[in-house]
Amino acid sequence: MTIKAGVHANLIGRYERDEAISSVEVASKIADALSVSLDYLVGKADQRIDQALLDKVLSIQQLPNEDREHIMYAIDGLIQHAKTRLAFK
C-alpha cells in the first residue's frame, strides 16, 4: 500500500499513532490505494464504499437521461426482487 500511495511506511505509522496529520493530497492517495472513500478513511462514513460499484454509478451518471432512467428502473426492480427473496428465506 505504501508504494501504491507513494507514502513511506514510517509516515503511515506516525499517522496511525496520531503523531502526524497528513495533507489532504496524501490522505486522498492513501484512500485510493486502499480503495476507500476519503470520508471512510477519516471516520466520517460508517460504510465502506465499493469502488467498483461507485465506478458503475459514475458511468451511469454520464449517460443520456433516457438511458439513465431505463437503467435505474431495471436496478430498482432487481433490488426489490432481492429484498423480497431475502424476506422469504
Side-chain angles (χ1 to χ4, degrees), residues 27-44:
S28 180
K29 288 179 184 178
I30 294 169
D32 288 345
L34 296 172
S35 297
V36 298
S37 70
L38 193 50
D39 283 345
Y40 181 81
L41 183 68
V42 297
K44 300 265 183 194

Side-chain angles (χ1 to χ4, degrees), residues 20-75:
I21 298 174
S22 73
S23 68
V24 173
E25 292 82 15
V26 172
S28 180
K29 288 179 184 178
I30 294 169
D32 288 345
L34 296 172
S35 297
V36 298
S37 70
L38 193 50
D39 283 345
Y40 181 81
L41 183 68
V42 297
K44 300 265 183 194
D46 294 335
Q47 294 183 341
R48 184 176 175 166
I49 297 173
D50 183 316
Q51 188 63 45
L53 182 58
L54 180 58
D55 290 343
K56 284 180 176 54
V57 169
L58 293 173
S59 293
I60 292 168
Q61 193 172 19
Q62 294 174 2
L63 295 173
N65 210 21
E66 184 178 352
D67 292 332
R68 279 199 318 255
E69 288 175 11
H70 290 292
I71 292 169
M72 295 308 292
Y73 181 80
I75 289 173

